[in-house]
Amino acid sequence: MLGASLSKAFYHLNSRWDYSLFAVLIFPLSPLIGAVTVVLVSFITWMKQYRQISRRPLNWGFALLSVLLIVSCGFAQNKIEAFLGLFNFLPFFLVFAAFSTLIQTTAQLRQMAWALVIGSMPVAILGLGQLFLGWNFKFQFVWVVLSWTIRQGGNPPGRIASLFLHANTFAAYLVIVFILSLGLWLEQWQVKIGHRAWGIGRGQGDKETRGQGERVIVNCLPISPSPNLPISSSPTLPFIFLTIAVLTNFITLIFTNSRNGWAIAIFACFAYAVYQGWRIIVGGVVGVVTSVLLAAFAPSPIAQFFRQYVPAFFWARLNDDMYPGRPVALMRKTQWEFAWSLAWQHPWTGWGLRSFTALYKAHTQIKLGHPHNLFLMLSAETGFLTTLLFCGLLGWILITGVQLLRNSKHTYTEDRLLIFSYLVACVGWVLLNNVDVTLFDFRLNTLSWLILAAICGIIHRYNQQEKLASH
């Protein structure tokens, strides 16, 4: 049964990690319970492993970033708003430091990905019911312990939002879960093949020394799978579940009508196809994307030809024909230009966190929460130095993660696919924040820092192994 298979995936857990998995699982349905659990786990981890956390150079970098953010608030025009804005950053730096210490194995990465995928299913089902079955209700249990609001037809109308406040926010959540679910699906697909192949020679193997013993490698694949990879006597049920989850999340993502979500989901499929060496799929993805872009943006004779085959639902959304006559102030290009001009006016300290909304309203008479680009927003509100440090820390995580994937001699092939999935999810988050700002949704902000923490935890663990092996 699927439950028995999943129980094998969640093994060797300490109590803090059990609670962490519960938080990740429940977060979409109850942000309050998820938040309290994450904070509790982070606090206990800090108490138990303070010395280990404080010794890591990356955490020093985030400590310096925290100081710069506080300094920028001191120079803000509206200091109260600026200091309130710190709550979107500083608590999550503490969560990141705790969980990057707590997460040490690829088994934990796999468990967290499973929890995210399972937790996404009820939210996706509620969203599909919202759009296609006309579901419309408000449910509250014990104040905000469980607080669900489903608006009939979505928000904006015609776009799935489910339990999230806006379709774009829901799309950002779905695309990250879709990336991880697709990685787990590929892993299970390889397990199904591996059950027929492991233990059966497929050619000459090369011996590699690993500690005190040896293992045989066949075509770069270990004959014995990673000990962290849950192997069921019947891997079909997890595979079927993940197939349903991938399709459900992808279909729901389509009907969020989010161009950003579509683009990043396609990027993820392309990245997996390249990683797996599937040239036909790479060509197919390129062909489909090219057809849609030509239908949306090519000169009229060419566009009309492709529009015979590409549904208007896609090309009309890309070129804004679906929503004509939008005010110029609501276009991203206008918002980005204004944020860039603000950054150059106060390049060192910025205007203060949460200042963009008031400044943009004074300039355009339109209230807008953010400029739909995290890095431009930080430049305008905190200055270039703070933004560069933030980008540098993110860049270090990504670069060292890629180096781990390419160079580490202590990772199993199956685990490399899992690490690759988390790196793709991280890149997807960065791309999302180039066209939106996800930190204002508590669930998305927490999820992004947990993914970054997971990557850092694995990097630190394998770096330690490399150092021990070199001595």
Side-chain angles (χ1 to χ4, degrees), residues 77-78 81 342 350-360 380-381:
Q77 291 183 334
N78 189 333
E81 286 290 318
L342 290 178
W351 293 78
L353 292 170
R354 294 170 56 114
S355 62
F356 179 85
T357 300
L359 294 169
Y360 198 71
E381 295 185 348

Side-chain angles (χ1 to χ4, degrees), residues 77-340:
Q77 291 183 334
N78 189 333
K79 292 181 175 56
I80 295 177
E81 286 290 318
F83 279 103
L84 287 175
L86 289 174
F87 285 95
N88 291 318
F89 294 94
L90 303 191
F92 296 94
F93 296 167
L94 296 174
V95 168
F96 166 83
F99 274 83
S100 62
T101 305
L102 181 63
I103 300 174
Q104 294 291 300
T105 67
T106 51
Q108 290 172 295
L109 264 64
R110 189 171 287 110
Q111 293 153 13
M112 189 166 79
W114 269 101
L116 282 167
V117 173
I118 295 170
S120 72
M121 294 303 290
V123 188
I125 292 170
L126 286 172
L128 292 171
Q130 175 186 48
L131 190 64
F132 295 108
L133 300 178
W135 290 356
N136 177 28
F137 63 84
K138 186 171 183 178
F139 171 76
Q140 281 190 319
F141 174 73
V142 190
W143 189 44
V144 292
V145 172
L146 283 179
S147 181
W148 299 351
T149 300
I150 295 291
R151 298 182 182 180
Q152 185 175 359
N155 182 38
R159 299 176 60 186
I160 291 179
S162 191
L163 300 178
F164 290 74
L165 295 177
H166 194 277
N168 286 342
T169 308
F170 188 38
Y173 166 77
L174 283 174
V175 77
I176 293 175
V177 175
F178 170 74
I179 291 170
L180 294 177
S181 65
L182 188 55
L184 290 175
W185 182 88
L186 287 170
E187 183 177 80
Q188 286 294 320
W189 180 78
Q190 291 178 346
V191 168
K192 284 174 68 64
I193 294 176
H195 266 72
R196 296 191 294 270
W198 282 326
I200 301 175
R202 291 186 292 174
Q204 296 298 319
D206 299 323
K207 288 186 178 180
E208 281 191 351
T209 301
R210 287 289 184 269
Q212 297 178 348
E214 293 181 341
R215 63 191 179 106
V216 179
I217 306 295
V218 180
N219 293 335
C220 297
L221 288 173
I223 282 182
S224 60
S226 160
N228 291 329
L229 182 60
I231 302 298
S232 168
S233 59
S234 176
T236 303
L237 288 178
F239 181 77
I240 292 173
F241 171 79
L242 286 170
T243 302
I244 295 171
V246 169
L247 291 175
T248 301
N249 284 323
F250 186 71
I251 292 169
T252 309
L253 177 61
I254 289 174
F255 287 103
T256 61
N257 218 350
S258 167
R259 294 171 292 185
N260 308 328
W262 295 350
I264 296 169
I266 292 171
F267 154 78
C269 293
F270 182 81
Y272 278 118
V274 171
Y275 183 78
Q276 296 291 112
W278 294 339
R279 297 180 181 178
I280 294 177
I281 296 180
V282 171
V285 171
V286 171
V288 169
V289 171
T290 301
S291 300
V292 174
L293 292 177
L294 289 172
F297 302 110
S300 183
I302 299 175
Q304 291 303 324
F305 172 78
F306 282 95
R307 288 175 186 179
Q308 299 176 50
Y309 307 100
V310 178
F313 180 82
F314 295 105
W315 62 259
R317 179 69 179 108
L318 286 178
N319 63 14
D320 259 352
D321 280 3
M322 188 177 290
Y323 301 105
R326 285 199 305 164
V328 174
L330 292 180
M331 294 183 177
R332 280 173 168 77
K333 182 175 180 291
T334 308
Q335 301 160 25
W336 295 345
E337 289 175 346
F338 182 71
W340 187 244

Side-chain angles (χ1 to χ4, degrees), residues 9-18 21 107-108 111:
F10 295 166
Y11 63 98
H12 295 321
L13 303 177
N14 59 49
S15 58
R16 279 181 290 157
W17 185 241
D18 281 329
L21 289 177
Q108 290 172 295
Q111 293 153 13

Side-chain angles (χ1 to χ4, degrees), residues 70-71 155 157 168 176 186 220 228 239 265 332 342 345 348 356 364 370 372 377 426 431 445:
I70 294 170
V71 169
N155 182 38
N168 286 342
I176 293 175
L186 287 170
C220 297
N228 291 329
F239 181 77
R332 280 173 168 77
L342 290 178
Q345 292 175 41
W348 294 108
F356 179 85
T364 63
H370 53 77
H372 289 86
M377 186 189 79
C426 185
L431 294 175
N445 202 13

